[in-house]
Amino acid sequence: MVLKLNNISKRYGKKTVLNQICLELHNGIYGLLGPNGAGKTTLISIITGMLNATEGEILCDGISTKKLKKRYFDYIGYMPQYPGYYNNFTGYEMLDYYAVLKGLKKQERKVKIPEILELVNLKDYSGEKIRVYSGGMKQRLGIGTALLNDPAVLILDEPTAGLDPKERIRFRDLISKVSSHKIIIIATHIVSDVESIADRILLLNHGELIRNGTVEELCEEMEGLVWPIETAGQTKLENVYLYHFRS
Ligand code: ADP
């Protein structure tokens, strides 16, 4: 699938939060990077269809989302920055609840939920209440709920906030596992979250898409402009990020 953003702008009163974003997304993993306030969540909300753009349109394989209406949501899987979990539900119940909301029939749910539990490595904990889940387990459950409708576009907003290094590695493995035949957008301000797994990096600053390229392209562009400092221990992409966003 190809998702095309045509001149997407968002304004609140006189404040421009997104300014004429043009973007063509193909299957693969995209890291949406930018400092807090850059407009990442706003852009994601527009892509998920939760928020209307002030201007511009989104095309899904050439068809406007305005024309697709509710059918557009069949293409979208979304894990918000702060997913709402019902602590009294078990992991299985949570997935079942979301599957009902997504319109899966009972028979489909019976097949799909065990598949998802296996995929996100929560099979052994599916009967446990969510209140005893660790941060990493909750996050994998969140990704699981986003995958229930087998979406063509999977969007994750700050997915690794609060995860320890081991859980971050598990997250990357999971994303790599589900990444074939999907557009995956990972919004984050943690460069290392996406550096090793993203096919392309989108840099957003003050509502403008200032860069769209592979990690290699962005690093090459910076040759001679940034230097690794021995004591800092940053990776090349982290230096690119600092170059654009240091205040
Ligand atoms: P990010 O996710 O990159 O941190 P956001 O998309 O949350 O950025 O916010 C981008 C900018 O838009 C911020 O300056 C924020 O204050 C502003 N903003 C977001 N939502 C609203 C709103 N409902 N009304 C006014 N300004 C908003």
Side-chain angles (χ1 to χ4, degrees):
M1 197 182 87
V2 181
L3 201 67
K4 200 167 175 193
L5 276 63
N6 268 347
N7 280 308
I8 294 287
S9 294
K10 181 71 186 174
R11 283 187 288 278
Y12 290 106
K14 282 190 178 157
K15 186 175 179 183
T16 299
V17 173
L18 290 176
N19 192 19
Q20 301 195 314
I21 305 286
C22 292
L23 193 55
E24 199 171 291
L25 302 168
H26 297 257
N27 286 344
I29 304 175
Y30 293 83
L32 177 60
L33 286 176
N36 286 329
K40 302 183 296 295
T41 302
T42 307
L43 184 60
I44 279 178
S45 303
I46 291 172
I47 297 175
T48 56
M50 294 187 300
L51 189 69
N52 287 323
T54 314
E55 268 164 34
E57 62 173 355
I58 298 180
L59 302 174
C60 211
D61 277 339
I63 305 169
S64 167
T65 54
K66 285 175 192 147
K67 204 167 173 191
L68 283 169
K69 294 194 176 127
K70 276 188 184 165
R71 276 180 297 152
Y72 177 59
F73 295 118
D74 293 340
Y75 295 107
I76 304 292
Y78 170 55
M79 186 176 81
Q81 191 172 356
Y82 304 106
Y85 293 108
Y86 296 112
N87 282 330
N88 276 333
F89 278 24
T90 64
Y92 191 101
E93 285 166 344
M94 186 82 186
L95 285 171
D96 198 46
Y97 174 69
Y98 272 90
V100 170
L101 294 181
K102 289 188 181 209
L104 272 74
K105 305 246 163 31
K106 196 171 180 182
Q107 269 316 313
E108 292 173 315
R109 300 202 302 272
K110 262 189 170 168
V111 177
K112 194 72 191 173
I113 294 172
E115 264 177 35
I116 296 278
L117 285 165
E118 175 88 47
L119 181 70
V120 301
N121 205 8
L122 285 174
K123 214 171 65 178
D124 297 341
Y125 303 92
S126 66
E128 303 279 343
K129 297 253 198 248
I130 293 171
R131 86 158 64 85
V132 302
Y133 278 23
S134 68
M137 288 162 79
K138 281 186 185 170
Q139 179 247 33
R140 277 181 278 137
L141 185 66
I143 295 174
T145 56
L147 287 170
L148 278 165
N149 56 334
D150 200 10
V153 185
L154 176 67
I155 302 169
L156 309 169
D157 196 359
E158 298 282 354
T160 61
L163 297 192
D164 66 32
K166 228 173 167 180
E167 289 171 331
R168 273 160 207 262
I169 292 168
R170 225 185 245 160
F171 160 77
R172 281 179 224 155
D173 290 346
L174 172 59
I175 294 304
S176 303
K177 214 158 57 171
V178 299
S179 68
S180 58
H181 313 303
K182 276 192 203 311
I183 295 169
I184 300 184
I185 305 170
I186 302 170
T188 182
H189 62 279
I190 304 167
V191 180
S192 56
D193 272 1
V194 289
E195 183 160 14
S196 57
I197 54 166
D199 300 304
R200 292 190 82 82
I201 301 290
L202 310 169
L203 292 186
L204 199 64
N205 199 20
H206 299 304
E208 309 258 355
L209 187 65
I210 59 168
R211 288 290 182 281
N212 171 4
T214 63
V215 172
E216 292 74 28
E217 282 165 0
L218 295 188
C219 290
E220 257 170 43
E221 217 178 275
M222 289 291 115
E223 281 297 318
L225 294 172
V226 292
W227 296 267
I229 299 166
E230 255 175 49
T231 50
Q234 282 124 355
T235 64
K236 270 189 173 177
L237 187 64
E238 276 168 332
N239 281 322
V240 172
Y241 186 88
L242 288 172
Y243 177 82
H244 283 293
F245 301 131
R246 74 189 152 192
S247 48

